[in-house]
Amino acid sequence: MFALVDCNNFYASCQRVFEPHLRNQPIVILSNNDGCVIARSNEAKALGVPMGAPAFEYQKLFEEKKIFVYSSNYALYGDMSSRVMNILSTYTPEMEVYSIDEAFLKFKGFELFDLEALGLDMQRKVTKGTGIPVSVGIAPTKALAKVANKIAKKFPERTKSVYSIDSEEKRIKALKWTKIEDVWGIGRKHAQRLRLKNVFNAYQFTQLSDEWVRKEMAVVGLRLKQELEGRPTLDLEVPKNKKMIATTRSFEKMYNRIEDISERVSTFTASCSEKLRKQQSHCNMIMVFVQTNYFRKDQPQYSRNIIINTDFPTNSTIDLNYYAQIGLKAIFKEGYQYKKAGVIVMGITPNNETQLSLFSSSNPKHQPLMSVIDKMNRGYGKNKIKFGTQCLDRQWKMKQERLSKCYTTKIKEVIHIQL
Amino acid sequence: MKLRSLHRTATLEFYFPDYSSKLDLPFYDVGISAGFPSPADDFIELTIDLNKEFIKNKDSTFFAKVKGHSMKDAGIYDGDLLIIDKSLEPQNNKIAICQIDGEFTVKRIRIEKDIVWLIAENEDYAPIRVSPENEFMIWGIVTNAIKTF
């Protein structure tokens, strides 16, 4: 059996734990640089704020409806997430942290346990111990656990936020209730195609023939069908190294000089290289892109990307920045107002599997240098040591105008209580 | 320090190891033969780990800074740092962080039938009666206060 435990409106709930006046109030959380809405409380959803809404377009609605707006505070969310996950990990030895706010728990050999009672216990312990409300879905497969979780979340009173699909009757009822577009792993395109075939809910999907599903949706679709039928085909996944690492940002304001953008590109490259070293990998391709402001239709628009193969696999900031700057020079055009740039490294291989090149290789002095830089930045704070191409003053601080405090990770910012 | 017993025999008791927090052990290099052995070698104790002494449930422990004087007779002063365990059940006479009508407060709680009283530890402050009209929640239990002199 599997359980999927999911935090309800996680980011908004994190804010609420430390700000009691937010109870029952609409809350939205903005992306990095305060660009667009990435999380909403139920109250904000009800007021019609869509996911991904650009903050500047909705500013008026926020004010009119008295919606509380926050910059994302990942120090807080990360700490609260690890508390939730730590408590959950005491229930079973097998757990997959699926995202910052959800985890699959596998219960193998728990036949003699009442899993629904266990689910109620973890729901209560996490909600009480961290202040973050969670919902628990229990079922024989991961895909059904997702469905069960949706039911628990939708009917908190009736289910006490825990729902278990433990009989054929419950499975069929749950699948009939689940709209096809809400099924885990079915994207918008597939949902559209399935509706044309008169498949409107998950149950109808399981009635299709295996051949059709395999032909139209490949083996991934077939696996999903079996999962929904109650036959486990997906196991917990062990964390793998990433296939791509990206750092992309919108700028605070628009820039038209290559010097300004070149600084951003080196900073993004440094960040990607650091992440590569952290997961002990090299890459052999780097992509750079630049973009003008899509929302300013009155200005000329331009966007372009370029992929450069490195001469040898590397994770040195010095090497990668060399290629990134060549790329930027190739795609940069005078006369545009640039709003966004990004760096993505690809072709990632673990350090011990890198393919050496016959004619060129990374300067052997880079590795020890990078490891000293990483160590110092870990110990003394992010970006204490930078490269000369990165800006040295604080001009580039991320826009976080509505940042809440780091209640759990900085002693100076803990809650203050008036007695 | 609480140890979890693993197995007990007539002469020996075994305990589960606890790796929950970092402990710096004093390092004693006695050498092999040179000189006299230190007379303290037999008396090496573990160093004191405050995390272990004061934080029983690390995942539900939070900190808060106090402002105001209403709890002075309980020894809680302006500027103290409180250690709060959210996982503990509210009990009569415990000092608790409460949320009442959208505000945080710290008071001693007295639980009577259907009524909760929030009692200040300062004669200038009257007890607060929590009624069903109040939006009320006990947020966590205060286990310790840290003072800096």
Side-chain angles (χ1 to χ4, degrees):
Chain A
M1 293 290 271
F2 290 90
L4 174 70
V5 185
D6 188 10
C7 301
N8 305 348
N9 310 113
F10 180 59
Y11 293 173
S13 297
C14 286
Q15 302 289 350
R16 271 191 183 135
V17 172
F18 303 96
E19 288 169 76
H21 64 272
L22 295 177
R23 219 176 112 150
N24 301 327
Q25 300 297 322
I27 308 171
V28 298
I29 317 287
L30 304 180
S31 59
N32 279 338
N33 263 332
D34 293 349
C36 57
V37 173
I38 52 161
R40 307 157 295 160
S41 72
N42 286 341
E43 296 80 4
K45 285 178 195 170
L47 289 173
V49 182
M51 195 66 171
F56 71 94
E57 259 177 44
Y58 280 79
Q59 193 53 45
K60 235 179 114 199
L61 184 80
F62 294 159
E63 278 162 27
E64 275 168 18
K65 304 279 185 191
K66 298 209 171 67
I67 298 175
F68 290 84
V69 182
Y70 288 91
S71 304
S72 31
N73 183 344
Y74 286 107
L76 177 67
Y77 310 150
D79 179 71
M80 293 304 281
S81 167
S82 77
R83 289 167 186 260
V84 170
M85 299 305 169
N86 282 344
I87 294 175
L88 291 177
S89 71
T90 60
Y91 285 88
T92 169
E94 294 180 89
M95 176 166 131
E96 172 192 345
V97 177
Y98 186 68
S99 70
I100 192 166
D101 61 351
E102 55 188 324
F104 283 106
L105 279 66
K106 186 176 176 184
F107 292 102
K108 194 177 143 199
F110 280 63
E111 286 77 19
L112 298 176
F113 285 74
D114 177 352
L115 288 184
E116 199 162 335
L118 212 58
L120 285 165
D121 187 64
M122 63 177 102
Q123 196 282 338
R124 213 196 64 89
K125 259 210 189 104
V126 172
T127 303
K128 179 159 173 41
T130 65
I132 303 288
V134 296
S135 304
V136 182
I138 303 167
T141 69
K142 284 171 92 175
L144 285 172
K146 269 267 184 192
V147 172
N149 185 284
K150 272 232 163 77
I151 295 172
K153 199 174 264 180
K154 187 87 184 178
F155 307 103
E157 274 94 32
R158 246 191 290 165
T159 62
K160 297 205 179 77
S161 297
V162 178
Y163 190 74
S164 168
I165 298 181
D166 48 12
S167 69
E168 195 53 14
E169 195 194 334
K170 276 182 166 179
R171 183 184 72 86
I172 291 168
K173 198 176 156 198
L175 291 187
K176 284 184 174 161
W177 176 82
T178 306
K179 285 191 221 130
I180 191 67
E181 61 268 31
D182 291 341
V183 175
W184 184 43
I186 292 198
R188 216 165 14 142
K189 273 214 178 108
H190 276 312
Q192 220 167 16
R193 280 243 300 290
L194 287 163
R195 274 195 300 264
L196 287 176
K197 220 177 139 48
N198 282 326
V199 172
F200 297 101
N201 64 39
Y203 181 72
Q204 290 164 335
F205 175 66
T206 60
Q207 300 307 105
L208 294 169
S209 75
D210 280 4
E211 290 70 39
W212 189 89
V213 174
R214 189 204 294 269
K215 203 175 132 239
E216 298 294 320
M217 299 172 67
V219 70
V220 181
L222 188 62
R223 273 196 209 123
L224 180 63
K225 177 174 181 268
Q226 292 168 343
E227 281 266 310
L228 292 173
E229 286 165 347
R231 291 185 280 159
T233 53
L234 303 173
D235 204 347
L236 295 187
E237 273 176 35
V238 271
K240 270 190 243 114
N241 276 344
K242 292 187 175 150
K243 294 206 174 76
M244 252 194 206
I245 294 172
T247 304
T248 74
R249 296 274 183 280
S250 294
F251 312 144
E252 272 171 74
K253 48 181 179 171
M254 288 181 275
Y255 288 98
N256 55 12
R257 298 188 322 145
I258 192 165
E259 291 81 9
D260 291 323
I261 297 165
S262 152
E263 188 285 330
R264 289 284 72 197
V265 166
S266 355
T267 298
F268 300 160
T269 307
S271 156
C272 285
S273 321
E274 197 185 328
K275 287 179 197 159
L276 266 180
R277 295 194 292 270
K278 203 170 163 199
Q279 65 164 43
Q280 306 191 334
S281 310
H282 285 59
C283 74
N284 61 20
M285 270 183 272
I286 181 165
M287 175 168 129
V288 182
F289 73 81
V290 289
Q291 252 172 40
T292 49
N293 191 350
Y294 175 78
F295 292 102
R296 290 290 301 270
K297 299 272 192 262
D298 55 317
Q299 294 178 344
Q301 297 290 318
Y302 173 71
S303 81
R304 181 90 192 267
N305 70 56
I306 186 169
I307 295 177
I308 294 184
N309 291 309
T310 62
D311 297 315
F312 42 82
T314 177
N315 60 20
S316 147
T317 306
I318 300 169
D319 289 339
L320 286 169
N321 193 38
Y322 166 78
Y323 294 109
Q325 297 300 334
I326 292 179
L328 176 64
K329 280 200 191 86
I331 58 175
F332 180 86
K333 262 197 194 163
E334 294 276 350
Y336 291 97
Q337 296 288 330
Y338 292 92
K339 179 65 182 167
K340 190 176 183 180
V343 171
I344 301 167
V345 293
M346 295 170 287
I348 295 176
T349 46
N351 282 357
N352 50 11
E353 291 171 21
T354 52
Q355 186 90 45
L356 297 176
S357 162
L358 193 54
F359 301 108
S360 55
S361 67
S362 188
N363 184 333
K365 284 182 180 163
H366 287 189
Q367 281 303 324
L369 175 63
M370 294 301 141
S371 80
V372 168
I373 292 173
D374 290 344
K375 219 182 251 171
M376 294 190 71
N377 281 340
R378 265 200 302 276
Y380 295 106
K382 230 180 153 190
N383 288 328
K384 274 280 163 338
I385 297 198
K386 293 190 203 174
F387 290 83
T389 46
Q390 295 177 250
C391 92
L392 301 174
D393 54 31
R394 290 158 52 87
Q395 184 191 349
W396 293 106
K397 207 173 166 299
M398 190 162 43
K399 189 172 159 200
Q400 288 181 313
E401 283 168 356
R402 297 155 186 273
L403 186 64
S404 60
K405 291 186 171 149
C406 295
Y407 298 104
T408 58
T409 50
K410 286 190 188 149
I411 193 98
K412 285 217 169 81
E413 299 189 7
V414 298
I415 43 174
H416 283 62
I417 299 180
Q418 180 80 46
L419 301 191
Chain B
M1 205 163 29
K2 233 172 136 186
L3 294 169
R4 276 202 302 152
S5 180
L6 174 66
H7 184 59
R8 196 176 291 191
T9 67
T11 51
L12 282 172
E13 254 187 275
F14 296 91
Y15 295 100
F16 281 104
D18 185 346
Y19 303 118
S20 58
S21 67
K22 189 184 160 208
L23 268 179
D24 291 314
L25 304 185
F27 176 62
Y28 277 74
D29 188 2
V30 185
I32 297 169
S33 62
F36 291 100
S38 161
D41 280 351
D42 291 341
F43 299 91
I44 300 169
E45 296 277 318
L46 304 181
T47 50
I48 293 168
D49 181 348
L50 291 179
N51 281 336
K52 207 158 181 165
E53 294 298 323
F54 294 116
I55 298 177
K56 303 295 176 206
N57 302 302
K58 139 172 139 351
D59 297 313
S60 53
T61 296
F62 296 87
F63 297 92
K65 199 115 187 165
V66 167
K67 261 178 164 175
H69 305 277
S70 74
M71 293 299 284
K72 72 176 175 56
D73 294 345
I76 297 177
Y77 293 142
D78 193 89
D80 286 358
L81 187 69
L82 303 179
I83 305 180
I84 303 145
D85 190 338
K86 262 181 85 60
S87 69
L88 298 177
E89 290 301 328
Q91 282 171 1
N92 214 2
N93 275 325
K94 287 273 181 199
I95 295 176
I97 308 270
C98 308
Q99 288 185 357
I100 182 160
D101 299 331
E103 302 262 356
F104 274 121
T105 186
V106 180
K107 294 286 180 287
R108 201 179 283 285
I109 46 174
R110 188 139 307 153
I111 305 165
E112 288 171 11
K113 217 179 144 213
D114 304 332
I115 308 176
V116 177
W117 291 92
L118 302 183
I119 298 168
E121 295 272 349
N122 178 339
E123 54 193 22
D124 298 340
Y125 293 78
I128 302 165
R129 184 179 188 275
V130 181
S131 66
E133 291 86 66
N134 292 115
E135 224 178 44
F136 179 73
M137 185 180 96
I138 293 175
W139 192 84
I141 302 295
V142 177
T143 57
N144 305 85
I146 301 172
K147 297 164 185 299
T148 305
F149 299 107

